[in-house]
Structures are given as C-alpha cells and as structure tokens.
Amino acid sequence: MSGHRQSELAPFAPTQWSLVHRAGQTDAEARKVSLGLLLQRYLPALRAYLRAQKRFDHEQVEDLLQGFVAEKVVEHNLIAQADRQRGKFRSFLMVALNRYVIDQARRAGAGTRSTECAPVGADAREERVSREAQPSNQFDIAWAQELVAQALARMRRECETSGQIEVWVIFECRVVKPAFDGIEPMPYELLIERFGLQSPILAFNLLTTAKRKFARILRSVAGEYAGDSQRIDQEIDDLRSILSIAGA
Amino acid sequence: MHEQSPRPEKSLALSSMLELREDTRHVWHPQELGAILKHQLAAPLVLALGNSLSAEVAHELKTLGSPQQEVKNLAMLLHHPEPSLELLSFTKRFAKSCWNDPDSPLPREIAILLYYLSIAVADLRSGKQLSTLGRDDLIQGLRWCGDQVWVDQSTLRLLKEALEHFGKGREAFAELKATMPPTAD
C-alpha cells in the first residue's frame, strides 16, 4: 500500500534535502534545476514574510527577493551552507534573508548604495528592521499556507487523474470553500442530489474519503520537507499551534 | 492563495485544514440532522443499515411475506402495521453500533432515534421485546427523541403513539424535556 502511494506520488516527490544537496553542487545543470524547484517552493513564503511582517510594498519585496537570490543564493552559493543537522531548511533560508535585509538597510543608511540599488528608503527600512530583527511566526504562517496550497493542488490533480473528481468536488464544497472563502458548506440535500447518493452512509463515505485523502497528501507534502514520520507530525503540530495563536 | 498575505482569519482556516488528518468525526453540522434523517428513512434498506448487515437484510427482504413485501425503506418499516421483527432487529443492531462508534457513518443523534424507535415499534405492533432495556429507560429515550427539533412530523406521531402505548399517555409526551437518553442496553 505504502509502495503504491510512493509510486503514485513519485513525480512530485524529490525530497527537501535531496534538492538542497543538488542545489549546492558544482554541476551547473543539476544546480540550476534544483535551485529553480527550491525557489518555486520557498519564494511565496519569503514574499509573504517580507510583505506581512516587514511591511514592504510589492515593488520593494520583489527588489529585495531578486537581490537576495542573485547575491546570496546564486553568487555566494548560500544553499551549500545549509546543514540538515542544524534545523529546518526554511529557518535557514529565512535567517539568511533577514540578515540580507538588515545588511541592505545598513548599506542604504550609510549611503554606500545608490538609490537604484536601495529600493527601500533608509529610514523606513531601519525602522522596520529594528522593529522585527528576529525571525517571525509570520514566515511559518506563510509556509503553512504554501503547504496547504500544495496539498490542495495535488489532491485535485490526483482526483482528476484517478477518475474521482466527485471526491475533490465534495471536499471543495464542504471543507475548502467554507474554510477559505467563508461561504456556507453545500447543504446536505444539494450534496446528495448532486452526487446521486442513496443513503447517508454513502454520503459519509464520500466525504470521509476526501478528508482522509487530503490528510494523506498533506503528510506526503510535509514529508518532502520534514523527513521521517515523527518529524512530519511535529512539523504539522508546530504549524497548527502557530496558526491557532495567530488566529486567536 | 499563493499571491495573498496570510491574514489572521486565514490562519484559523489553515489551522483547520492541518487538523483534518484521519479524524472522521463531525462530518455533518447539527442543523443538517433533519435532512440526514429524512434521507436515512427513505434510503433502500440494504444501503441504510450498513455493509455488515446488507447481506442479511437482502436475504430477509426476499423471504418476507406479501403484507411486508412493500417495505423498501426504514420509514415504511417503522410505519408498517405488521413490520418484520427481523428487520427491526437489524435496525436496532445497526443503530446501536453507530451509537457506540465515534467514527460512525450516521450522526449519533439519529442512531439514538433509530435505536429507540425500532425497540418501541416491535413492542407496539407485535408485543415483542427486542431489548432488555427497562420501560422507564425506554420512555426516557423516546422522550428525548421527541424533544429533538429536527425530527419530522411523521416520526413525531410515531413517537407519541409509542409513548402512549407505554402507559404515559399525552402528559408524558407533553412534558418532554431535553434530557439525554440512557445508554444502549
């Protein structure tokens, strides 16, 4: 069973640290591909972090990220310095970004950079950096958002390719849209009519299948970053705690 | 979702998504109980009583005599003047298993209703006892069922008839209180 699931998900599942390893290599082609995948996964969270926590506007965020990727990630091969034994890769990345932002603020404040190279006003940036010099839960919230988004996209794809589109639709109507768009779940009467369900047991089974499928896929996605089963549980528990506190 | 900053209200939504895991409880909302009961009562009997009983139910349906052959669903069974005791017994077994199972496919409240109704109808129509449940406990359970706002009029009439049958009459039904029913026998 687990072998089947593994092969089913194989096209999506280069693990976190294997990508990091390849991105830190000297082989230019392998490095380029792996870096591209890593950035695709992490940039949304880094972007959200700069925007929500540091209060940078869209243009400033894009300039900072572009500079960070060009200078630190590509030029200084930042990824090669990541060490699995020293904690989560995303924490490593965020600390590096944070340092880069501080460094940019200092350089702009010292007048060592031209306006063109310092997209954020020096005073404003110094203030932002001093307000939040330490890594923040905001990044974890953005990260959870990314994780859930990936799991939802993968679930939809899996349902479509396996001929179980009704599993996705019932999940979307009863769980996803009510959670994210604040709309009422599809009423029970409509649901049984739409899917031609002959008994409450069949309706229950369909919705339960959807929930279990999402839970499995979420674990699979988290597993690509967290590693073993224990770390996956810890990762999900940690994110849930952060989100609960943030939303309280 | 990728392009939006996480907002506090979204944090709770995300948290709820991370909580889904393997938990199958709380699939339906309390305000949906009426619709689920209606659906359960109208579902074909072989589907309504779960996979584990479907073969036995199908066999029983084949062996029913002419007055009961028209019984296609739970509503027809519970309202039949001469219901099959075997089918009522299956209904009771299914309801009891759902009542005791936290991952039951049927909401616990509906399982409780079906449990008490199946016992009451067997006694009411055939004078047969499907349970060792004491009369007071049965009455207490039936009262609880009758007090639920999601129970339809037809089922309420049956509950009333059962309560009258068990000797408490109109007063007993009029004094329905929101007490929790006793546990299954």
Side-chain angles (χ1 to χ4, degrees):
Chain A
M1 186 70 179
S2 60
H4 169 67
R5 283 178 180 168
Q6 193 65 31
S7 63
E8 195 175 56
L9 296 172
F12 312 104
T15 64
Q16 173 57 41
W17 287 101
S18 67
L19 272 181
V20 170
H21 177 68
R22 274 182 268 159
Q25 279 182 340
T26 49
D27 179 331
E29 193 54 35
R31 189 176 164 215
K32 189 178 165 187
V33 171
S34 303
L35 258 183
L37 282 171
L38 278 176
L39 291 174
Q40 190 183 355
R41 286 181 180 179
Y42 285 93
L43 279 181
L46 292 173
R47 188 174 284 121
Y49 168 69
L50 289 177
R51 199 161 44 204
Q53 190 67 30
K54 302 291 189 184
R55 307 281 193 270
F56 290 127
D57 65 29
H58 174 75
E59 199 176 331
Q60 291 167 339
V61 167
E62 294 308 316
D63 284 345
L64 279 168
L65 280 179
Q66 197 177 340
F68 176 68
V69 171
E71 285 182 38
K72 297 294 174 187
V73 178
V74 176
E75 200 175 315
H76 293 148
N77 199 11
L78 175 77
I79 309 301
Q81 298 163 34
D83 181 356
R84 188 174 193 168
Q85 305 305 318
R86 295 175 67 182
K88 293 169 182 169
F89 177 70
R90 71 169 190 273
S91 302
F92 165 80
L93 211 52
M94 192 188 65
V95 168
L97 175 66
N98 218 39
R99 284 182 185 150
Y100 176 79
V101 172
I102 292 170
D103 188 43
Q104 289 296 299
R106 283 181 184 150
R107 285 161 71 179
T112 55
R113 289 177 62 111
S114 68
T115 310
E116 191 185 351
C117 296
V120 182
D123 290 345
R125 187 154 50 182
E126 289 279 18
E127 185 192 330
R128 281 164 196 152
V129 169
S130 63
R131 189 173 60 222
E132 186 56 50
Q134 294 301 313
S136 149
N137 286 345
Q138 197 64 44
F139 183 79
D140 284 323
I141 293 170
W143 179 246
Q145 195 172 30
E146 183 61 19
L147 206 67
V148 170
Q150 280 188 32
L152 288 172
R154 194 175 295 183
M155 176 171 171
R156 180 177 193 152
R157 204 161 49 228
E158 213 179 277
C159 288
E160 283 171 350
T161 54
S162 62
Q164 288 185 300
I165 193 64
E166 74 279 9
V167 173
W168 166 255
V169 174
I170 196 171
F171 189 65
E172 187 181 38
C173 295
R174 290 288 305 195
V175 180
V176 180
K177 285 185 174 175
F180 288 101
D181 300 337
I183 62 170
E184 288 295 313
M186 179 188 278
Y188 184 83
E189 295 98 325
L190 275 182
L191 186 133
I192 57 173
E193 188 184 334
R194 177 162 179 180
F195 296 105
L197 300 167
Q198 287 187 285
S199 77
I201 294 176
L202 296 178
F204 172 89
N205 288 345
L206 188 56
L207 189 49
T208 303
T209 298
K211 286 185 169 188
R212 285 182 170 154
K213 194 178 194 68
F214 176 77
R216 174 177 62 75
I217 291 173
L218 180 71
R219 280 184 62 79
S220 169
V221 172
E224 289 164 24
Y225 304 95
D228 60 41
S229 174
Q230 198 177 348
R231 284 184 181 175
I232 293 171
D233 289 335
Q234 188 61 50
E235 169 78 342
I236 292 176
D237 282 344
D238 288 349
L239 289 175
R240 196 157 46 85
S241 300
I242 291 164
L243 290 165
S244 297
I245 292 166
Chain B
M1 199 154 72
H2 286 242
E3 295 305 318
Q4 292 173 351
S5 299
R7 291 176 294 172
E9 65 269 27
K10 298 290 181 191
S11 299
L12 285 179
L14 285 166
S15 180
S16 72
M17 298 299 290
L18 294 176
E19 276 172 8
L20 283 177
R21 307 213 184 174
E22 298 296 317
D23 189 4
T24 60
R25 282 168 285 179
H26 312 302
V27 165
W28 311 119
H29 300 287
Q31 61 267 31
E32 294 178 305
L33 287 172
I36 298 169
L37 174 63
K38 184 180 170 190
H39 194 204
Q40 174 69 5
L41 291 174
L45 272 171
V46 285
L47 295 175
L49 301 183
N51 286 339
S52 60
L53 286 170
S54 62
E56 288 174 89
V57 170
H59 176 75
E60 178 62 19
L61 285 171
K62 278 182 190 170
T63 59
L64 288 175
S66 59
Q68 295 154 334
Q69 272 180 338
E70 68 211 46
V71 172
K72 305 292 180 204
N73 55 41
L74 276 175
M76 294 170 96
L77 174 69
L78 292 169
H79 290 277
H80 200 280
E82 296 175 48
S84 155
L85 281 175
E86 200 65 29
L87 289 177
L88 286 173
S89 179
F90 290 149
T91 305
K92 183 206 139 192
R93 273 169 59 189
F94 170 70
K96 188 176 174 181
S97 70
C98 290
W99 184 346
N100 294 326
D101 179 4
D103 292 327
S104 155
L106 211 57
R108 187 167 179 268
E109 293 89 339
I110 291 176
I112 291 170
L113 173 72
L114 293 179
Y115 175 80
Y116 285 113
L117 266 182
S118 55
I119 294 170
V121 167
D123 199 315
L124 187 65
R125 305 290 179 225
S126 311
K128 301 286 184 188
Q129 293 190 341
L130 293 184
S131 162
T132 56
L133 202 64
R135 184 150 289 212
D136 287 344
D137 287 340
L138 180 58
I139 288 168
Q140 189 185 343
L142 291 169
R143 282 179 173 179
W144 179 88
C145 296
D147 207 33
Q148 304 309 303
V149 293
W150 43 267
V151 176
D152 61 283
Q153 287 302 311
S154 177
T155 305
L156 275 176
R157 280 194 295 274
L158 190 57
L159 285 166
K160 185 178 178 182
E161 189 184 351
L163 276 167
E164 286 172 348
H165 170 75
F166 292 116
K168 297 293 180 182
R170 287 177 174 275
E171 285 180 15
F173 191 68
E175 291 170 6
L176 293 176
K177 290 196 173 81
T179 50
M180 284 303 292
T183 53
D185 67 330

